[in-house]
Amino acid sequence: MFLTAKQKGRGKWLTNLSIKKYKKLVDYGLNNNIKIGFDSCSANKFLKTIKKHPARKQLEQYCEPCESGIFSAYINVKGQYYPCSFTEGEKGFEPLDVMNCKDFLKDIWFHKKTIGWRKKLLKNCRNCPVFNI
């Protein structure tokens, strides 16, 4: 399972693998019939590594790049909405209060902050606009 490191919390010092090293791991797994998986944060990186793979079309079916705020939501235990769990506590990402909203769709899902996030993510081809993935 490949999980993408985010430079946050205890992981602030972490660096991500280069695309070349990541491809080497993916190729090793695919060439040796090793089952591999990855988080949605890694999906676009995975797609780059399989561009020339003979089973590319089939492998693409297993990928779903970041869907935060597009068809998923993160709500913490305090009832605070963030587009992504990793944006909690990040500068510029003040939460929306789910506990005191009257209409989730109107007050949260179609809030100008959520719409702004969604547009930014889609404009960035569903690559993380916050962390260096």
Side-chain angles (χ1 to χ4, degrees), residues 18-88:
S18 68
I19 193 74
K20 186 176 180 178
K21 288 181 180 180
Y22 188 81
K23 182 176 179 1
K24 191 172 181 177
L25 284 172
V26 169
D27 287 346
Y28 182 84
L30 294 174
N31 293 335
N32 290 286
N33 204 26
I34 297 170
K35 293 179 183 180
I36 60 173
F38 45 86
D39 57 2
S40 63
C41 302
S42 305
N44 282 323
K45 201 170 192 175
F46 178 80
L47 289 169
K48 285 180 186 177
T49 67
I50 61 164
K51 278 185 177 179
K52 296 181 181 176
H53 194 279
R56 176 181 56 89
K57 287 292 185 190
Q58 180 184 1
L59 294 169
E60 286 175 349
Q61 298 299 309
Y62 305 125
C63 294
E64 188 66 63
C66 181
E67 75 290 335
S68 297
I70 297 172
F71 47 88
S72 72
Y74 170 72
I75 302 169
N76 69 14
V77 297
K78 297 176 187 174
Q80 299 170 321
Y81 165 87
Y82 294 88
C84 166
S85 61
F86 291 102
T87 59
E88 183 174 9

Side-chain angles (χ1 to χ4, degrees), residues 57-121:
K57 287 292 185 190
Q58 180 184 1
L59 294 169
E60 286 175 349
Q61 298 299 309
Y62 305 125
C63 294
E64 188 66 63
C66 181
E67 75 290 335
S68 297
I70 297 172
F71 47 88
S72 72
Y74 170 72
I75 302 169
N76 69 14
V77 297
K78 297 176 187 174
Q80 299 170 321
Y81 165 87
Y82 294 88
C84 166
S85 61
F86 291 102
T87 59
E88 183 174 9
E90 291 297 310
K91 187 177 178 182
F93 289 93
E94 291 71 29
L96 297 176
D97 186 6
V98 175
M99 299 299 285
N100 294 307
C101 77
K102 293 183 179 159
D103 180 336
F104 179 84
L105 287 177
K106 180 180 165 203
D107 300 336
I108 307 294
W109 197 249
F110 293 114
H111 189 280
K112 65 181 180 179
K113 288 164 87 174
T114 306
I115 291 170
W117 164 267
R118 196 175 296 129
K119 286 180 179 179
K120 190 174 187 177
L121 184 61

